[in-house]
Each structure stands twice: as C-alpha cells, then as structure tokens.
Amino acid sequence: MCGAHLNRLHSCLSCVFFGCFTKKHIHEHAKNKRHNLAIDLLYGGIYCFVCQDYIYDKDMEQIAKEEQRKAWKLQGRFFPLFNPSVGPSGLQHSVGEKYSTWEPTKRELELLRHNPKRRKITTNCTIGLRGLINLGNTCFMNCIVQALTHTPLLRDFFLSDRHKCEMQSNSCLVCEMSQLFQEFYSGHRSPHIPFRLLHLVWTHARHLAGYEQQDAHEFLIAALDVLHRHCKDDNGKKANNPNNCNCIIDQIFTGGLQSDVTCQVCHGVSTTIDPFWDISLDLPGSSTPFWPLSPGGDGSTLNGESHLSGATTLTDCLRRFTRPEHLGSSAKIKCSGCHSYQESTKQLTMKKLPIVASLFHLKLMSYHSYLYRKIPTYVSFPLELDMTPFMASSKESRMNGQYQQSVDVFNNDNKYSLFAVVNHQGTLESGHYTTFIRQHKDQWFKCDDAVITKASIKDVLDSEGYLLFYHKQFLEYE
C-alpha cells in the first residue's frame, strides 16, 4: 500500500501502542503481538492486518463521528458553514459555542475612524458583482476568476489580509489575487481590467501564454497550482507537498481519492489514497463506454435531480466514476498475495471530501479518428448534492456498480450546495465561456465578461454545465 496515508499515525485497538505506517512500526507490532486491528488517527479508518485492507463498518464510523462532534463542541470549534438560507454571506453559527473575541489594534481603529461610512448588506446589494474586460480571447480566465472570487472561504481569506508576501519582486500571483478581491468587493461597478493577472498567468504558466482560446479547466488547475506554490503554511515554509500542506488552496480544494485494486485470484486489496483538486467525469458519447441510466428514468428523482426521459444526470456520471472497472489481461498487476501477475479490478471512491468540489469537470471532448470533437450531451445537475453514495465507506453497499441509497435527512456531513457554474458555447476552436454565480441566498447572476445580468435558477439548471462548483453545506473545524 502507498499513498498519502502512509505517513499517518495508527493506534492499536488492543493495547496502548502508537506507530506510523511508513516505517512499518504498526505492522511489526501487529505481527509480534497478534493485535490485528489499528485505527488511522487522521481519517478514523480501521485497518485489519489479516485482510490487509481498511474495514468499512457503519457503526464504528458513526461512533467516531459522534465522538468527534462531542470533542469539537467541548472546544467550541464546531459550527455549520455556508448555509444558503442564512444571510448574505451564507454563514451561520451554532448557539452556545465558544469563540475567541476580536479586539481591534490601534492601526485598525485608525482605519475605522478614517472610514466611518459602512455599507449595509441587503438582499438587493450588488457588492461582489463586477464585470471583467475581455483582453482578447480571455473569457476562459474571466469565468474562473468569477467562480474563485465568489468562493466563500477564499473570499474571507483574502479580504482579511491573511496573505503575507515574502517575495522580493512584484510577480506574486497571490498578491494579485488579493488585490483582485479588493477590487471586486470595493463597491465599484465599472468593469475591471485584469491585465496584471493575465501577465502573471503568462509568466507562471507559459503554456497558457498568447491570445489563443484556452481551456477554462486547464486555467483553473494552473491557477490553483501557482497559488498553492506561492502560499505559505502556518510554519512559514514553502507548501510544496500537497499531502502535507496547510495553505489556503489545499485547505479548501484538496480532497482524497481512494483507489482499491482487487486481485481476481486471491481477492487481496491494494489501496492508495491520492490528493485531488478536481474530478473529471466522462459523458455519454465519449471514447469510453457509458452505462445504463439510473432506474426510474421516466421522471423519478435521485439526489435532487430530475430524471427526464433519456437524460443523463450528474449522479449517473458519479456512479460511473466510482463503479468497479475490470482492468483486463493487458493490464495485469503483480499481486502481493499471489506473488505473480494477475488480472484485477479497480474502484475509485472518495476517502476525504474537499470543502469546495471544483468538482465536476464534465469532459466536453472526445478523441476520435485523430480529431477532438465536442460531445453534444446535456447533463442535468442539482442545486443540492449528497456525496455519501460515492464515499469509500459506502462501497460495501454497492452491488454491480449500483448503490441502494438510504435517506438520512440528519446526516449533513457530505452535502453540498451549488454556487458557480461555468458554461461553454460554440466549438472547441471558436467557443465562448460564461459563468453563473450565486449571490446571497438564491440570487443568481450570469457573468459574460464585462456584462452581468440577473439569472433564474431555471437558467442555471438548464445550462450545459462544463465546470460545476459545489461548497460543503456544513464544515467541521478541526
């Protein structure tokens, strides 16, 4: 086994022993003492040294979650976040929790005296809405900037001056993003000209330089990568390792993707957990085979999505992404149990969900006959999304790739709300990007470069949806 969890500390469940996975300390203890069960102290998973795999027990997971909640409540660190039904910022605090008080410094008091006028945030407030001038086929950049500037935790980070730059030159992309947030939330209504941002993107991501049309998804990943490299963690060190990074980008966007490879002879399982910033989902009509639609395609609902006859849903795409895949005879692996090359199956599931799932990059392109073409497929997506069926802990409930979903209205750990949608119109060679962003409770706006117009929820849900951005409804601060 390898992956991000190899550095994790494990605790023996039979005695008081702690050992790390990397140096096999916990393995040696299990072998010598015959204590075959240990718990991963970061993720809470129980590892069996006989099965050489993690055990997914619903009762144990529920106990672990309840104990975590009790501990966080005692420390006053738990509160729901980004509840769209509360206030213009979407933030809500629990009753009776403890929070550290804020005392303004002399410098902050001086700034407050010099700026006595306060802007009252109302449901009709347009602060945060600002168009972006197209500098020549830069709609791919403008649409991602709109999505990032309306990401709640990222907005709070930059508007609270959390970034402390140590670069000697003026080439820090994080500083420019901080300035961009100040521009967006300054109250100015004239379109902003992001020429400095474009210059820095060309400097740090040279494959995006030039005035040709670029891919919005590629720009998103490049921007997150540069921001990640320029951010500092709490210890003031460079954040070069995404597995052990405390920068704001990884705190918000990084999740853990679990890959289970199962030998078809001895049924031994090899597990890896890798970090991810986004999820790319195949569409019907791509070069990969698709699957039957969800049951009840004549008008039933699943995960809040309306199943029109013949329509494909985001849930369908996620079901395909997380179903077991037979690797075939041409991709045999060397099984550690059989000590020989054997055929296997591979299954991807979510081990750790990110706060923001920039999530779902719906693959628009298909490679066929040496040419790329756009896939003309509409995928319906919901305003509210429950990722519980696609978690690693839920894979025991799968049968032949199908998930029998049980409704738990009180479990909000894995529930998300849609807050931004990037769309692509036209062909791959001469297309155009626009963005729908969510403002306040249920107000949506369409951002088309410099033009911003009011949009309805129907407009959003009827759009093609190239990139979907979901935010966790509830966030547990550790």
Side-chain angles (χ1 to χ4, degrees):
M1 298 179 66
C2 61
H5 68 292
L6 283 184
N7 296 324
R8 307 302 184 199
L9 191 65
H10 285 60
S11 173
C12 177
L13 290 180
S14 301
C15 67
V16 184
F17 180 86
F18 299 88
C20 77
F21 220 90
T22 308
K23 303 297 183 181
K24 304 286 186 178
H25 296 151
I26 193 69
H27 295 73
E28 294 172 5
H29 173 79
K31 182 179 179 181
N32 296 333
K33 299 291 185 178
R34 294 186 179 181
H35 295 172
N36 294 320
L37 294 177
I39 186 168
D40 184 331
L41 294 182
L42 180 66
Y43 290 111
I46 299 176
Y47 188 83
C48 175
F49 292 94
V50 177
C51 304
Q52 295 185 359
D53 190 15
Y54 284 93
I55 299 170
Y56 304 105
D57 184 86
K58 289 183 178 179
D59 293 334
M60 291 296 292
E61 284 212 349
Q62 190 61 35
I63 292 172
K65 287 180 180 179
E66 289 302 320
E67 292 302 318
Q68 281 183 335
R69 291 179 192 276
K70 290 178 183 178
W72 287 330
K73 281 192 175 183
L74 287 174
Q75 299 177 46
R77 293 180 179 177
F78 173 81
F79 61 88
L81 175 76
F82 195 62
N83 188 332
S85 65
V86 180
S89 66
L91 298 176
Q92 180 184 13
H93 297 272
S94 293
V95 178
E97 307 295 345
K98 297 179 181 178
Y99 297 97
S100 57
T101 58
W102 169 70
E103 294 294 336
T105 63
K106 291 183 178 179
R107 172 61 178 161
E108 288 169 338
L109 287 172
E110 183 181 342
L111 289 172
L112 290 171
R113 292 190 187 102
H114 281 83
N115 297 274
K117 186 177 179 181
R118 300 287 178 268
R119 292 189 177 92
K120 185 177 181 181
I121 305 298
T122 64
T123 55
N124 297 321
C125 181
T126 59
I127 292 179
L129 296 175
R130 194 168 184 184
L132 292 166
I133 297 295
N134 192 318
L135 301 175
N137 282 332
T138 58
C139 58
F140 71 94
M141 178 182 74
N142 291 348
C143 69
I144 298 300
V145 168
Q146 292 287 359
L148 292 180
T149 51
H150 288 87
T151 302
L153 280 186
L154 201 61
R155 174 201 63 204
D156 296 346
F157 175 84
F158 282 110
L159 292 183
S160 58
D161 295 328
R162 295 284 300 279
H163 173 59
K164 298 178 181 179
C165 186
E166 296 181 4
M167 296 183 68
Q168 302 299 322
S169 62
N170 294 324
S171 60
C172 177
L173 186 65
V174 188
C175 289
E176 180 56 30
M177 283 298 295
S178 180
Q179 181 61 37
L180 197 64
F181 274 86
Q182 299 291 338
E183 291 287 347
F184 262 75
Y185 291 91
S186 64
H188 297 309
R189 298 185 178 183
S190 59
H192 179 66
I193 307 174
F195 65 94
R196 291 195 73 255
L197 177 64
L198 181 63
H199 170 72
L200 289 176
V201 169
W202 286 1
T203 301
H204 295 292
R206 296 189 179 277
H207 63 289
L208 295 175
Y211 289 100
E212 297 83 10
Q213 179 65 271
Q214 302 289 350
D215 179 53
H217 174 251
E218 190 174 0
F219 174 80
L220 171 65
I221 298 304
L224 293 180
D225 179 60
V226 175
L227 289 169
H228 161 74
R229 286 189 278 115
H230 283 197
C231 282
K232 310 282 186 179
D233 63 16
D234 288 343
N235 297 321
K237 298 178 181 179
K238 289 279 186 179
N240 294 322
N241 185 356
N243 296 339
N244 298 285
C245 178
N246 197 37
C247 76
I248 188 61
I249 298 302
D250 282 298
Q251 287 186 53
I252 296 175
F253 294 96
T254 298
L257 187 66
Q258 178 167 316
S259 173
D260 293 316
V261 179
T262 305
C263 174
Q264 294 299 284
V265 176
C266 69
H267 302 292
V269 180
S270 176
T271 301
T272 60
I273 301 175
D274 296 307
F276 70 88
W277 276 339
D278 72 319
I279 301 171
S280 295
L281 301 174
D282 288 316
L283 301 180
S286 64
S287 56
T288 54
F290 215 59
W291 69 100
L293 293 175
S294 302
D298 56 350
S300 63
T301 59
L302 179 64
N303 214 347
E305 295 163 306
S306 177
H307 284 251
L308 301 176
S309 179
T312 302
T313 69
L314 179 61
T315 301
D316 288 327
C317 297
L318 285 167
R319 284 177 48 233
R320 184 195 185 282
F321 181 79
T322 56
R323 71 175 182 177
E325 175 189 4
H326 185 70
L327 297 181
S329 57
S330 61
K332 290 184 178 181
I333 62 162
K334 188 171 183 178
C335 176
S336 58
C338 301
H339 303 289
S340 60
Y341 287 92
Q342 304 290 351
E343 291 190 22
S344 60
T345 59
K346 179 180 179 180
Q347 184 175 11
L348 299 175
T349 49
M350 309 296 164
K351 180 62 179 178
K352 177 180 179 294
L353 290 172
I355 295 173
V356 168
S358 51
L359 272 136
F360 302 104
H361 160 225
L362 301 174
K363 293 181 180 178
L364 286 177
M365 294 184 295
S366 169
Y367 187 70
H368 181 69
S369 301
Y370 304 102
L371 293 173
Y372 283 99
R373 64 181 180 88
K374 185 174 178 180
I375 304 170
T377 302
Y378 169 76
V379 177
S380 67
F381 49 91
L383 287 173
E384 313 292 331
L385 177 67
D386 188 356
M387 289 291 289
T388 303
F390 315 107
M391 298 296 293
S393 56
S394 299
K395 74 174 187 177
E396 66 175 13
S397 300
R398 295 176 180 276
M399 298 179 63
N400 300 322
Q402 301 294 322
Y403 179 81
Q404 305 300 323
Q405 186 173 5
S406 59
V407 178
D408 185 359
V409 294
F410 299 105
N411 183 11
N412 297 308
D413 294 344
N414 306 320
K415 292 183 179 178
Y416 286 81
S417 293
L418 185 71
F419 74 94
V421 178
V422 172
N423 288 283
H424 180 272
Q425 295 88 32
T427 65
L428 297 177
E429 296 78 18
S430 59
H432 181 61
Y433 289 100
T434 58
T435 309
F436 287 106
I437 57 98
R438 188 175 192 166
Q439 183 88 338
H440 307 309
K441 181 182 177 181
D442 278 321
Q443 295 188 47
W444 286 88
F445 293 87
K446 182 178 181 180
C447 304
D448 187 352
D449 288 332
V451 179
I452 296 181
T453 54
K454 189 77 180 290
S456 66
I457 294 178
K458 185 177 185 301
D459 294 332
V460 177
L461 298 181
D462 286 348
S463 65
E464 289 186 358
Y466 174 44
L467 294 172
L468 308 177
F469 292 81
Y470 284 88
H471 198 294
K472 263 194 172 183
Q473 292 182 0
F474 295 86
L475 182 63
E476 295 174 351
Y477 278 98
E478 299 180 9

